Amino acid sequence: MERALYGPDGFYVRPGGPGPAGHFRTSVHASPLYAGAVARLLLWVDEALGRPEELDLVDVGAGRGELLAGVLAALPPETAARVRPYGVERAGRPAGLDGRIRWVGEPPAGVRGLLFANEWLDNVPLDLAEDGRYVAVARDGTESAGGPLDGRDLAWLERWWPGAVRAEIGRPRDEAWAAAVRTVERGLAVAVDYAHTRDTRPPFGTLTGFRAGREVAPVPDGGCDVTAHVALDACAGPGAALLTQREALTALGVSGARPPLALASTDPVAYVRALSAAGEAAELTARGGLGDFGWLVQPVGVRRWPR
């Protein structure tokens, strides 16, 4: 998985091409309302920190920088002027990226602000287990039985995914998220991903692939995304909140409610715009779709959000 995603010709680091947006649709690409909601969350963090002279915004798994650009555009100018935006990616800096955005390979230390990871943890490489053994996967996707599980991986499965026949061992995600949270000095760390919890984990795992907008077999040849749902409850630290995206975006003012019909008569252009925004909001918060994504919100030195 490491080689297929991040090796010399890996899915996420190969030069050229459309980038992740050309293969699957995330909330960032679905609507600018998502960046607007993250901007409002950053304003909440800014207020909690007492409006410091410099306010960090760290996007982990930044793709082509789309979310950062959207958040900067959505912020009030006086706030945007104080923001230090970081795009954390293993791929090279995209052409034409806003010059204010620092492009780095790892989260910076001493973050005072918001660390946001949208669909990053699902691509942190991990091992697959079946019947108490590792599953070895060849470059063409052929599987064979590997060696017995080591003690730490076995303990993780027994605690977080008991009774599974086949499962992804989420320990590397727990460790990656804990390391990211440690970079935050004060503020919020937020992970957003398609996820499951201990009581709802599927018995045969979730490993899959995506290519050109279609779900495909997770063949680790570098030609497709290889991904698996995240055990966000295992990642959560003390004081963290676990929400659905529907709950989180509703708290941030994203609503799929239709505008009043009377607006169509008094201001038809505004009505059409409001109707379009309501449709986008409905997609972001839909049950059975993007609204079911998990939000893990970890406060560091600030009060819990949402209260």
Side-chain angles (χ1 to χ4, degrees):
M1 190 171 177
E2 169 72 26
R3 183 189 66 242
L5 297 180
Y6 306 111
D9 197 34
F11 180 78
Y12 280 103
V13 299
R14 61 177 57 188
H23 295 272
F24 45 84
R25 182 176 174 82
T26 73
S27 298
V28 175
H29 308 123
S31 170
L33 294 176
Y34 191 76
V38 176
R40 288 190 289 277
L41 184 58
L42 181 61
L43 290 173
W44 183 93
V45 174
D46 187 35
E47 184 69 25
L49 295 178
R51 298 183 180 178
E53 291 185 7
E54 293 183 326
L55 178 64
D56 294 322
L57 173 59
V58 182
D59 183 6
V60 184
R64 295 295 188 266
E66 300 97 333
L67 178 60
L68 286 169
V71 172
L72 290 172
L75 288 170
E78 61 274 16
T79 307
R82 293 187 286 111
V83 170
R84 294 193 301 180
Y86 294 86
V88 182
E89 260 297 350
R90 294 174 69 169
R93 183 185 181 91
L97 188 67
D98 189 321
R100 293 174 291 178
I101 297 173
R102 300 160 172 84
W103 201 253
V104 295
E106 296 180 352
V111 172
R112 296 176 65 85
L114 174 63
L115 181 144
F116 199 86
N118 186 73
E119 295 193 49
W120 166 58
L121 286 175
D122 64 279
N123 289 127
V124 171
L126 44 57
D127 284 317
L128 186 64
E130 186 169 351
D131 296 329
R133 306 184 73 86
Y134 294 104
V135 178
V137 185
R139 188 172 173 84
D140 66 359
T142 302
E143 296 184 358
S144 58
L149 298 177
D150 75 22
R152 293 180 303 166
D153 288 342
L154 182 60
W156 189 94
L157 287 172
E158 289 176 343
R159 178 180 181 185
W160 294 109
W161 208 326
V165 177
R166 175 183 169 99
E168 300 91 33
I169 303 168
R171 186 171 60 83
R173 273 94 179 268
D174 300 356
E175 294 170 353
W177 181 242
V181 172
R182 283 196 297 271
T183 68
V184 180
E185 185 176 306
R186 281 192 71 205
L188 288 182
V190 180
V192 182
D193 241 304
Y194 41 99
H196 43 53
T197 57
R198 189 180 186 278
D199 295 334
T200 61
R201 303 209 207 285
F204 297 100
T206 63
L207 189 71
T208 190
F210 287 94
R211 180 189 291 118
R214 299 174 64 88
E215 188 169 10
V216 297
V219 178
D221 60 2
C224 71
D225 184 25
V226 179
T227 179
H229 287 46
V230 182
L232 281 181
D233 52 340
C235 297
L242 277 172
L243 306 90
T244 65
Q245 177 155 294
R246 182 181 180 87
E247 293 168 333
L249 292 185
T250 297
L252 291 167
V254 176
S255 171
R258 292 171 64 91
L261 190 58
L263 185 63
S265 300
T266 59
D267 193 340
V269 174
Y271 177 78
V272 171
R273 288 174 179 165
L275 193 62
S276 175
E280 293 174 2
E283 180 184 4
L284 289 172
T285 59
R287 292 187 175 93
L290 295 176
D292 289 345
F293 270 50
W295 279 50
L296 169 58
V297 184
Q298 181 72 58
V300 181
V302 298
R303 65 187 184 276
R304 183 184 173 109
W305 183 93
R307 302 196 70 178

